[in-house]
Amino acid sequence: MRLRALLETDSLGLRLLGGAAELDRPVRGVMTTDLRDPGRYLSGGELVLTGLAWRHGPQDSEPFVRILAAAGVAALAAGEAELAGIPDDLVAACAQHRLPLFAVDERVAFAAITEHVVRQVSGERAGDLAAVVDRHRRLMSAGPAGGGPEAVLDLLGSDLDLRAWVLSPTGRQVAGGEGELPARVRARLAGEHLGAVREGRAGSGRPYRTTVGGAVFSLFPVRDDNAAARTAGHLADWVLAVEADAAEWPEERLDLLRGVTQLIAVERERREAGRGVRRRLAQEVLELVQAGAPPADAAARLRDAAPV
């Protein structure tokens, strides 16, 4: 989860005092402390809660904040009850070390904030782990035989809260779990995809990101081994556009999305194979008509082709 999400949760009683530019920092844990030096207990990414009992004077704020910043914590949340407010020296120290600072309303217990953060972070970790096992199994069962790309994208939305679309190189929307993207957005994403292919970024095995209209998208090429041998090459590949920044995703979640692109690639192959069969059947019927075959023969061939 991000710091921004904590600030937007009214029940937590958090008020931002500094660090508005850092609100996209990820929060990976929470710790409550009033130690003057809690550095040895920090591993990075924590929201640190403090009642300010460690502060005996203005000179104490900068060393405390310096220790937190060096440990790589996400932010500091200070309670207002102890000192009837947040000291200016603490605000200044946080600004100096670019550490986001929140004030916690005295009516809100640290336990409530801790419970919320733990629940959110644990849920995200559980989602990533489940994506490798149970979710992947479900995505496989919902692949080409179970609804095609739409079914896969629906699972991404319901299970992982990810909005995603499959686009062609021209920006045509092949599938989308959240309605249709505006044409200008699709065109921008398709252009970014083609540019990445030409520059070789699309073959790195990792998604590439772009920003369109203030929204961040991560692009995953839809490619399989057979498609690579086509004359059209990778410039004809579809692309999976996910409205999220995958730069900080764990490898397990990236693996899941790569698996999704493989399912979609198989669906594309199935569709193209189906079109080929239909074209051949249509050609056979046309040849019967051109050769002057009895209408009954052409009708019988059409009946055979109807299921296809």
Side-chain angles (χ1 to χ4, degrees):
M1 70 179 304
R2 306 281 174 170
L3 289 174
R4 190 179 307 278
L6 291 174
L7 188 62
E8 293 170 350
T9 305
D10 294 336
S11 62
L12 298 183
L14 296 176
R15 188 173 77 259
L16 185 65
L17 299 181
E22 309 292 334
L23 289 179
D24 284 329
R25 288 188 183 185
V27 179
R28 300 187 176 89
V30 61
M31 175 188 179
T32 299
T33 184
D34 274 314
L35 294 174
R36 294 171 64 89
D37 182 1
R40 60 186 179 277
Y41 303 111
L42 297 168
S43 57
E46 297 94 342
L47 171 69
V48 175
L49 304 172
T50 181
L52 300 177
W54 50 267
R55 182 185 177 278
H56 301 296
Q59 71 282 356
D60 295 330
S61 291
E62 195 280 330
F64 180 81
V65 172
R66 184 185 343 120
I67 290 169
L68 299 187
V73 306
L76 175 65
E80 297 182 300
E82 181 76 16
L83 300 177
I86 307 302
D88 291 340
D89 49 272
L90 181 59
V91 176
C94 287
Q96 176 185 343
H97 292 280
R98 297 185 60 186
L99 182 67
L101 175 63
F102 298 98
V104 182
D105 191 291
E106 62 182 13
R107 294 167 295 182
V108 178
F110 283 179
I113 299 175
T114 299
E115 181 182 357
H116 178 84
V117 173
V118 169
R119 184 169 61 247
Q120 294 296 318
V121 172
S122 297
E124 290 175 1
R125 290 173 179 168
D128 288 334
L129 293 174
V132 182
V133 285
D134 182 52
R135 301 304 197 261
H136 191 267
R137 173 183 57 80
R138 291 176 58 192
L139 287 173
M140 289 297 293
S141 66
E150 294 286 358
V152 176
L153 298 186
D154 285 344
L155 278 178
L156 287 180
S158 62
D159 287 2
L160 298 180
D161 195 26
L162 291 176
R163 289 158 43 90
W165 297 264
V166 178
L167 305 177
S168 75
T170 62
R172 176 178 62 86
Q173 182 166 313
V174 178
E178 284 285 345
E180 186 161 350
L181 279 173
R184 64 175 186 82
V185 176
R186 289 186 274 117
R188 284 280 304 278
L189 294 176
E192 175 66 24
H193 166 57
L194 291 176
V197 170
R198 294 191 184 97
E199 296 168 9
R201 289 183 289 127
S204 65
R206 297 191 66 82
Y208 38 100
R209 69 187 293 276
T210 187
T211 301
V212 181
V216 178
F217 291 86
S218 294
L219 304 180
F220 296 78
V222 175
R223 178 176 304 161
D224 63 27
D225 295 337
N226 293 329
R230 294 184 187 141
T231 304
H234 294 332
L235 291 178
D237 288 338
W238 288 350
V239 62
L240 175 65
V242 181
E243 190 177 354
D245 187 352
E248 297 179 352
W249 283 4
E251 196 63 30
E252 292 88 348
R253 179 166 284 200
L254 289 175
D255 284 342
L256 173 66
L257 268 294
R258 294 185 189 110
V260 168
T261 64
Q262 292 171 4
L263 290 175
I264 295 171
V266 171
E267 168 64 12
R268 177 178 178 172
E269 289 296 301
R270 187 189 69 82
R271 288 186 180 185
E272 293 187 354
R275 292 192 191 100
V277 171
R278 289 193 293 274
R279 283 193 294 268
R280 288 195 298 273
L281 291 174
Q283 183 64 32
E284 290 176 11
V285 173
L286 181 61
E287 289 173 354
L288 285 173
V289 173
Q290 290 175 335
D297 290 350
R301 194 71 189 95
L302 285 172
R303 285 195 297 271
D304 293 339
V308 179

